[in-house]
Amino acid sequence: MAGKFINTNKKDLISNAVNNVKKSLDNIFPLIVNEKLTIVDYYSVNEDRTVLDVDGTMDTYEIIGKNSPIRYNEIKDLPIAGFDKIIAQIENTDMGIQGNEITGEITLFPDTVKAHVNDMFVIPYLKENLVFQIVEVQYDTLDTGSNYSRVQYTLHGGSSKYNQLKRQVVETFNVIIDNIGSTGFKAIIKSEFYTMIEKFQNYTVTLKDYYKMLFYNNKVQTFTFYNTKKDTIFYDPYMIEFLKRNDILTGATDYLSIQHQCSLHQTFSMDYNNTFLRCVEKKDIEKINKYNVIVVGELIRDITSIFNTRIEDYYKITYKFPDTLINYMPMNIIEADLIRRIKELDFYTREENLYLNIIIKFFNDIDLTDDDIEAIDNISYNDNILMYYYIPIVIYCIESFIKNILVKHEDK
């Protein structure tokens, strides 16, 4: 499955981790970048839920077992560097060996996991799940301020230890490998949020694919819509700008490059600032009525554009009503009722309109729910003017919600 925020194709995990880390840390941390990566499930000691002796020790307890006081956070799909150096030992060793006969060193990437003694990580091997224990930790800091760990480990046990380890898990997290090295998004999030993001992202992929199917015009290699009442094909450079600057179609099933297909007026940027699309970007609910939602079409006469190669006429959306336009009919790209509902926090109740509650919640800073997202299943996908504008706006609102979950906060 494609996607902007989470790569759900497991076979791409390692290659994506390598590419991403190389891109962001190439000149900063070549020692990690040049080592082979291995994807593991990592078990980090949960210090808040672990009960120690009065003197702060746990020497009298087993680390993994029914009497262990240690509780763990499970972190799925964590990339580590350097583990491949021990693979040969494992492959050439009888599976009945003792844990302390296999030791080694791995590196944990910056800003992923802060390692602790008695952390564990698990590697599947043949029919076993091999459990490795962290026995020594060395912390270091990059010039950028990012922290990383080099740790010594030893083999702790096999599947029986793994099964007990799972019973000591109190919280579960997932790694978003593409975010490792990112300065803006978290690389590790709680599994409940990961599942939510994955679901929401899948719906945005569906919306993106439908949008391309409905409105991508191969003849002119851009997005257009047909107005049956006017028997006219329209092209909106402001929508193209919205798609481009917000990467709206990034993560669709098939990649598509989006470019302006006709020259832009010298006041284009200022005109864009007065569109409802800019209102969405600014989330400007207070001044929502000042943004233009009424447009007209102006015949494209740009001889340098691809439209000039076509027999049929194309009209460019404009928010200005030039004197040269004769017998034009203004069009509403956003329904007045939707704007009213945004301002008054008045949700839709009719099934076919429930998906528009996503826009209402976005403007009013209300979290989305599964019901909101699943309302997308009830959309009647028609190639009309409203769908031309509503689908990208809904995508933007959903992805803004996802970004709010992923964004790093300095106080955390």
Side-chain angles (χ1 to χ4, degrees):
M1 172 66 74
K4 181 186 289 188
F5 300 99
I6 296 176
N7 182 354
T8 57
N9 192 340
K10 290 291 185 181
K11 71 180 181 181
D12 290 338
L13 285 176
I14 295 179
S15 62
N16 274 6
V18 172
N19 292 336
N20 236 12
V21 173
K22 279 186 175 179
K23 184 188 304 180
S24 57
L25 301 177
D26 192 26
N27 297 319
I28 303 173
F29 204 34
L31 292 179
I32 284 186
V33 173
N34 292 331
E35 292 181 345
K36 184 176 179 181
L37 301 185
T38 304
I39 302 298
V40 305
D41 287 343
Y42 191 93
Y43 295 82
S44 175
V45 173
N46 184 314
E47 295 177 313
D48 293 334
R49 302 284 293 275
T50 294
V51 181
L52 305 181
D53 286 336
V54 176
D55 61 358
T57 68
M58 49 187 170
D59 294 338
T60 59
Y61 296 97
E62 54 187 341
I63 297 170
I64 298 178
K66 62 181 182 179
N67 295 318
S68 173
I70 305 178
R71 296 297 177 262
Y72 288 96
N73 295 333
E74 180 184 39
I75 303 169
K76 300 177 180 178
D77 298 328
L78 181 74
I80 61 174
F83 184 78
D84 60 303
K85 298 172 185 177
I86 208 70
I87 294 295
Q89 294 184 48
I90 296 177
E91 291 177 341
N92 294 324
T93 301
D94 185 352
M95 294 307 297
I97 60 173
Q98 298 298 315
N100 59 8
E101 293 182 77
I102 291 184
T103 61
E105 179 182 272
I106 60 171
T107 304
L108 302 180
F109 284 103
D111 299 326
T112 55
V113 174
K114 181 179 180 181
H116 306 84
V117 171
N118 293 327
D119 283 359
M120 305 284 172
F121 64 93
V122 176
I123 301 286
Y125 178 75
L126 298 178
K127 296 182 179 180
E128 286 281 316
N129 286 299
L130 301 183
V131 179
F132 295 87
Q133 177 188 355
I134 304 302
V135 294
E136 184 179 339
V137 179
Q138 292 180 321
Y139 301 113
D140 208 341
T141 304
L142 301 178
D143 293 339
T144 61
S146 296
N147 301 312
Y148 70 97
S149 307
R150 287 195 181 277
V151 303
Q152 304 293 321
Y153 65 84
T154 184
L155 180 63
H156 189 75
S159 290
S160 60
K161 286 290 185 181
Y162 170 72
N163 293 335
Q164 177 57 40
L165 175 62
K166 294 284 286 185
R167 297 186 187 101
Q168 293 172 220
V169 170
V170 291
E171 290 190 271
T172 305
F173 297 78
N174 284 75
V175 177
I176 302 177
I177 292 185
D178 288 343
N179 289 351
I180 295 177
S182 165
T183 58
F185 291 147
K186 299 173 185 175
I188 298 177
I189 61 173
K190 287 187 175 182
S191 293
E192 61 193 87
F193 292 125
Y194 184 93
T195 300
M196 176 190 295
I197 291 173
E198 191 172 30
K199 178 177 181 175
F200 286 16
Q201 175 181 268
N202 289 342
Y203 272 94
T204 64
V205 172
T206 298
L207 289 173
K208 295 173 188 192
D209 290 347
Y210 268 114
Y211 193 74
K212 291 168 64 177
M213 180 184 70
L214 291 171
F215 298 111
Y216 189 74
N217 186 336
N218 281 303
K219 295 177 182 178
V220 290
Q221 298 174 27
T222 191
F223 292 90
T224 63
F225 67 90
Y226 177 70
N227 189 310
T228 55
K229 292 182 180 179
K230 300 178 185 296
D231 191 24
T232 303
I233 307 174
F234 291 92
Y235 163 78
D236 186 354
Y238 301 100
M239 173 53 73
I240 299 304
E241 181 68 14
F242 183 75
L243 297 176
K244 280 171 55 67
R245 66 166 57 185
N246 297 297
D247 296 322
I248 295 296
L249 296 180
T250 297
T253 300
D254 299 312
Y255 173 78
L256 181 65
S257 177
I258 303 173
Q259 303 296 331
H260 286 288
Q261 293 293 42
C262 61
S263 58
L264 303 177
H265 194 272
Q266 61 184 1
T267 63
F268 178 81
S269 295
M270 290 184 290
D271 296 337
Y272 181 86
N273 286 337
N274 294 318
T275 68
F276 186 79
L277 299 173
R278 182 59 180 149
C279 177
V280 172
E281 292 172 347
K282 294 173 65 177
K283 198 187 285 190
D284 192 0
I285 190 173
E286 295 298 325
K287 300 178 182 178
I288 194 171
N289 285 330
K290 87 178 184 75
Y291 294 91
N292 296 328
V293 296
I294 300 176
V295 300
V296 293
E298 184 176 12
L299 181 64
I300 298 176
R301 294 185 174 89
D302 185 352
I303 61 174
T304 64
S305 76
I306 193 172
F307 300 106
N308 192 54
T309 66
R310 302 301 308 165
I311 298 175
E312 67 274 15
D313 288 336
Y314 286 84
Y315 286 77
K316 180 172 64 175
I317 292 295
T318 177
Y319 290 84
K320 299 178 179 179
F321 296 4
D323 295 335
T324 54
L325 292 180
I326 301 175
N327 296 327
Y328 63 85
M329 290 180 58
M331 299 177 290
N332 272 69
I333 62 171
I334 305 295
E335 293 172 303
D337 185 54
L338 174 57
I339 295 176
R340 179 193 65 79
R341 288 175 180 273
I342 290 171
K343 292 181 63 179
E344 298 178 6
L345 193 55
D346 182 12
F347 294 122
Y348 289 94
T349 56
R350 293 179 60 180
E351 188 173 81
E352 63 269 25
N353 291 329
L354 289 177
Y355 76 98
L356 294 175
N357 289 335
I358 292 172
I359 302 176
I360 297 173
K361 286 192 171 185
F362 165 77
F363 271 99
N364 288 277
D365 293 320
I366 299 174
D367 288 346
L368 299 180
T369 67
D370 284 349
D371 288 341
D372 297 322
I373 294 299
E374 290 167 4
I376 292 172
D377 292 329
N378 300 319
I379 294 178
S380 178
Y381 290 100
N382 298 308
D383 56 346
N384 57 41
I385 183 173
L386 291 179
M387 286 292 102
Y388 184 82
Y389 290 94
Y390 284 172
I391 291 177
I393 292 173
V394 168
I395 293 171
Y396 180 91
C397 294
I398 296 172
E399 293 189 339
S400 294
F401 177 71
I402 292 174
K403 288 176 183 178
N404 285 337
I405 296 175
L406 291 177
V407 71
K408 292 179 179 178
H409 298 288
E410 293 184 359
D411 58 341
K412 291 184 178 181

